[in-house]
Amino acid sequence: VKASALFGADAAAARHYGVSCRAEGGDGPLPQAYAELARTYRSLAQRARAVGHVAIAVSLLQRLVDAGVRTPIVRLALSRVLAEGGRQREAESYYLAAVGSDIGDPDALPVAGDVAELLGRPVEARRYFTRYLAIAAHGPDAARVRDRLRRLGPSSGLP
């Protein structure tokens, strides 16, 4: 309900529900129990992005980051929305924070590749796409990732 209030850009509803990603009664990081909430916020942000509501997508994802969600896919999703909205510096910052640690989640690898490509880092994009296919050759994003690799062209042989 809280995320939906934000998604609907209903400021009155958001205030009524006290929209935040903080644990009830505290300002600490998002506890493990809120992992499901993070997925909900991410899904709503993806939908907002798909229908052109970039500010709402940024707001939803930013709340997760501000709440202490440390999974790379959240920062990568925020970075992608920022980059698509022309906010390259901010996008770069979130991208670097996300890829600074090993990305173990196969679902995050295509997003990392997308963001790297948006930020003009084709070698990194190729590396993330190739790694995804090595882990999930028949995964849900495999066809799209293969297409992206074809569009990137042959590898330059660089790392």
Side-chain angles (χ1 to χ4, degrees), residues 48-153:
R49 175 180 161 257
V51 297
H53 296 295
V54 175
I56 292 171
V58 168
S59 177
L60 287 162
L61 294 166
Q62 187 67 58
R63 286 177 185 274
L64 291 174
V65 170
D66 291 348
V69 175
R70 300 202 191 310
T71 56
I73 197 164
V74 171
R75 282 182 167 69
L76 289 167
L78 178 55
S79 181
R80 175 173 49 197
V81 174
L82 291 168
E84 289 170 345
R87 295 165 62 179
Q88 300 298 100
R89 276 197 191 135
E90 290 173 88
E92 182 92 16
S93 173
Y94 286 111
Y95 169 77
L96 293 174
V99 300
S101 60
D102 184 45
I103 299 175
D105 177 8
D107 292 337
L109 293 169
V111 181
D114 293 342
V115 175
E117 192 174 359
L118 282 168
L119 295 175
R121 297 169 172 252
V123 173
E124 292 174 35
R126 177 172 282 288
R127 182 174 63 231
Y128 291 120
F129 290 147
T130 302
R131 188 166 163 212
Y132 173 77
L133 291 175
I135 294 170
H138 303 288
D141 288 320
R144 184 183 69 79
V145 166
R146 283 187 190 91
D147 182 57
R148 295 298 282 265
L149 280 169
R150 275 192 290 279
R151 287 194 326 202
L152 281 170

